[in-house]
Amino acid sequence: QRVAMTQRKRLSNTQSSSQSRRQPGTLVAQEEDEDTTFTQPSTSQVQRGLEKLTPAQVDQKTAEVVQYFLVKDQKKLPVRRADLVKHVVKEYRNIYPEIMKRAARTFDQVFGLKLVEIDAKNHMYILINKLETAEAASPIPSPTNPKMGLLFVILSVIFMKGGVVRENLIWNTLKKLRVDTGEKHEEFGDVKRVVTDEFVRQRYLEYVRIPHTEPIEHEFRWGQRAEIEVSKAKILEFMGQV
């Protein structure tokens, strides 16, 4: 009976803590909450964890992590540690550092890709082309598809204006290039959604509300992925071609 009571108590505690977590607050706050439940295992914990598993099991889990990253990378979406642990690593979380080390080695040796943490606070990772560093030649060459062309135009404007630009300037620039955010574009569809949602989720752009503006105004900056992947030299070269 005492066991049943403690179980009920534990259940009510977890329910109340999960309810308190679901209380009003931003999605980002909830996501960060989720990640605080994960503590990076110590070297000795990893060692003990590995002793309980066969090499084949560790290889299999590493392969699943690699596949998860590659799928996300096709859409250029960053991977959050909280999602990785929850959806892929799961019960292998006590050997998480070893799995990540092996996954990074696989990306490096098999795919020529480098696993980079772009956000140390929220533990977000992306893959970049290891063969070309941002300083020398950009992993993103001059844009080959129209969407990348659109992104380069926006990054160029931000770059020319010192790193931060009000959104109206971006929309006016695009309008001059016959890309009107008020109309459905045959190539991009909803241009505003692509720019303020897709490019932002991919971490190419930051789209931030300017405080105390009425009506509400936003500004654009380069995102974390753009800082790593797109060289300033390539932007200047692109602007010379436009």
Side-chain angles (χ1 to χ4, degrees):
Q1 195 179 358
R2 190 180 298 157
V3 172
M5 275 178 68
T6 54
Q7 280 179 339
R8 271 203 302 277
K9 193 174 178 186
R10 195 179 300 144
L11 187 64
S12 70
N13 283 346
T14 54
Q15 280 173 341
S16 64
S17 71
S18 68
Q19 277 165 358
S20 68
R21 228 181 6 232
R22 275 198 295 271
Q23 289 295 310
T26 62
L27 180 64
V28 174
Q30 287 174 19
E31 288 175 347
E32 283 173 12
D33 254 358
E34 204 177 296
D35 199 45
T36 54
T37 62
F38 175 76
T39 312
Q40 186 87 340
S42 66
T43 310
S44 56
Q45 284 174 316
V46 171
Q47 203 52 50
R48 282 199 300 274
L50 286 170
E51 283 164 11
K52 294 174 187 163
L53 298 164
T54 65
Q57 285 175 308
V58 182
D59 287 344
Q60 173 62 34
K61 187 53 72 174
T62 302
E64 288 172 22
V65 167
V66 167
Q67 188 178 6
Y68 184 79
F69 265 99
L70 291 172
V71 167
K72 290 281 184 185
D73 187 57
Q74 284 178 344
K75 293 181 177 178
K76 292 289 179 200
L77 292 173
V79 171
R80 287 195 323 122
R81 183 178 73 178
D83 293 334
L84 193 61
V85 171
K86 184 180 175 185
H87 301 303
V88 189
V89 178
K90 295 176 183 171
E91 70 277 14
Y92 287 70
R93 58 175 55 208
N94 60 334
I95 62 160
Y96 173 83
E98 179 64 24
I99 289 172
M100 288 300 279
K101 196 164 82 182
R102 292 185 185 206
R105 199 183 308 142
T106 303
F107 289 128
D108 179 64
Q109 295 171 358
V110 180
F111 298 98
L113 296 168
K114 188 177 178 186
L115 187 59
V116 177
E117 187 174 37
I118 57 166
D119 183 343
K121 183 172 178 278
N122 299 310
H123 304 289
M124 287 197 170
Y125 302 91
I126 61 168
L127 294 171
I128 63 168
N129 191 330
K130 182 177 75 82
L131 306 175
E132 303 155 324
T133 60
E135 293 78 33
S138 169
I140 295 185
S142 293
T144 46
N145 69 51
K147 211 174 258 188
M148 274 298 151
L150 176 68
L151 174 65
F152 261 61
V153 167
I154 296 165
L155 291 176
S156 300
V157 174
I158 298 169
F159 177 61
M160 289 295 288
K161 296 291 178 184
V164 56
V165 160
R166 287 187 177 237
E167 63 178 322
N168 283 348
L169 184 63
I170 296 293
W171 307 139
N172 291 337
T173 304
L174 294 181
K175 205 166 190 174
K176 285 174 193 165
L177 298 169
R178 297 193 177 85
V179 178
D180 193 339
T181 52
E183 298 168 10
K184 195 170 170 66
H185 191 271
E186 58 179 74
E187 193 80 54
F188 313 119
D190 184 343
V191 178
K192 207 161 189 175
R193 192 198 65 78
V194 170
V195 175
T196 61
D197 180 48
E198 192 173 319
F199 289 160
V200 172
R201 278 189 299 122
Q202 292 171 341
R203 293 298 194 278
Y204 280 121
L205 294 174
E206 283 181 11
Y207 180 64
V208 187
R209 182 182 172 175
I210 305 168
H212 318 302
T213 50
E214 199 58 55
I216 293 167
E217 282 188 68
H218 292 78
E219 59 191 16
F220 285 103
R221 301 169 191 268
W222 279 38
Q224 294 147 317
R225 183 190 287 274
E227 294 286 0
I228 292 170
E229 282 193 2
V230 183
S231 78
K232 306 292 191 283
K234 273 283 182 282
I235 286 289
L236 291 169
E237 189 184 305
F238 171 72
M239 285 159 58
Q241 294 166 0
V242 173

